[in-house]
Amino acid sequence: MSKDDYLIPGLVALGVAVLFPVYWLSEIAVMASTGERRLEFGMLDILFLLVGVGQFVVYLGLKVILQDHHAYRRTDVILTMMMGATVVSYLFLFIVGVVPAWNLDSLVEGGMLVSLIVFGVLDLVLGIFLWSDKDKLSDGFKYFAMVNAIMGICELTVFLSITSLFLYPVSLILLAVIFLKKPQEVEFV
């Protein structure tokens, strides 16, 4: 097992840690300046899809590293659900959001709310599972679990979900450190 095995998910995690707040802060700035949601297709929509693809890669990398380094499968179902929720929510919000003829603001808002709650539950459960097994996992997962659980709680409250703009990048940076750190090798004689 070389350190390069997780180079791609590590770099993607760092990229998404930067792009996620850039996208959402840009979107919020547009809405604050115009008073309404953007209806034209543009670079922000491409950035939105890049963030979604990046999140999928990071969740897949997390699932693989937990299996490879720790023979840990307790979170497999949750991480698979997170990958599925990422695909469904990003594609749904992208398609409904970029077709201006539809002008389905309430559907977009509802989709965002449902996504927020689904990810809140999944983030919280993932954090709890990893925290409960922190002694079986490397130290990085303990910090990741704490941040993820806090982020899940904030997402579930909805009104505190804005903290995800800062907590999610922190969790991604923690994951990037886990991915890019040289694996601890145990040799049995």
Side-chain angles (χ1 to χ4, degrees):
M1 189 85 22
S2 76
K3 106 176 188 180
D4 293 338
D5 290 346
Y6 303 102
L7 179 64
I8 290 174
L11 294 176
V12 170
L14 289 174
V16 174
V18 171
L19 295 177
F20 182 82
V22 166
Y23 168 78
W24 284 107
L25 290 172
S26 298
E27 198 66 68
I28 290 168
V30 168
M31 288 181 71
S33 67
T34 64
E36 51 189 53
R37 192 173 58 81
R38 284 180 315 105
L39 294 177
E40 72 283 347
F41 180 80
M43 286 303 294
L44 281 178
D45 298 302
I46 294 169
L47 183 58
F48 181 74
L49 285 179
L50 282 174
V51 168
V53 169
Q55 282 181 273
F56 184 90
V57 169
V58 169
Y59 295 139
L60 180 61
L62 178 57
K63 184 176 174 182
V64 171
I65 200 168
L66 283 167
Q67 291 173 357
D68 287 352
H69 286 205
H70 302 284
Y72 188 80
R73 296 193 173 283
R74 186 172 180 200
T75 56
D76 282 1
V77 171
I78 296 163
L79 289 168
T80 301
M81 290 171 68
M82 291 177 95
M83 288 184 283
T86 298
V87 170
V88 170
S89 65
Y90 274 82
L91 282 178
F92 173 79
L93 291 172
F94 176 77
I95 290 168
V96 173
V98 299
V99 180
W102 292 354
N103 198 11
L104 300 171
D105 284 343
S106 61
L107 194 55
V108 170
E109 291 167 7
M112 289 176 73
L113 182 63
V114 168
S115 292
L116 189 61
I117 292 169
V118 167
F119 278 107
V121 168
L122 293 173
D123 285 331
L124 180 59
V125 172
L126 178 64
I128 290 169
F129 276 14
L130 290 174
W131 181 260
S132 68
D133 290 330
K134 67 184 179 290
D135 297 332
K136 299 176 188 174
L137 303 169
S138 61
D139 285 343
F141 287 106
K142 176 172 56 175
Y143 304 115
F144 171 74
M146 282 190 298
V147 171
N148 228 54
I150 292 167
M151 184 172 61
I153 292 167
C154 290
E155 289 166 337
L156 285 171
T157 65
V158 179
F159 69 93
L160 290 176
S161 64
I162 193 77
T163 61
S164 293
L165 287 175
F166 308 103
L167 290 174
Y168 189 58
V170 169
S171 75
L172 289 169
I173 291 167
L174 291 170
L175 276 181
V177 169
I178 291 168
F179 287 137
L180 299 174
K181 184 178 173 186
K182 184 176 179 180
Q184 302 295 324
E185 302 207 15
V186 178
E187 188 173 318
F188 295 98
V189 181

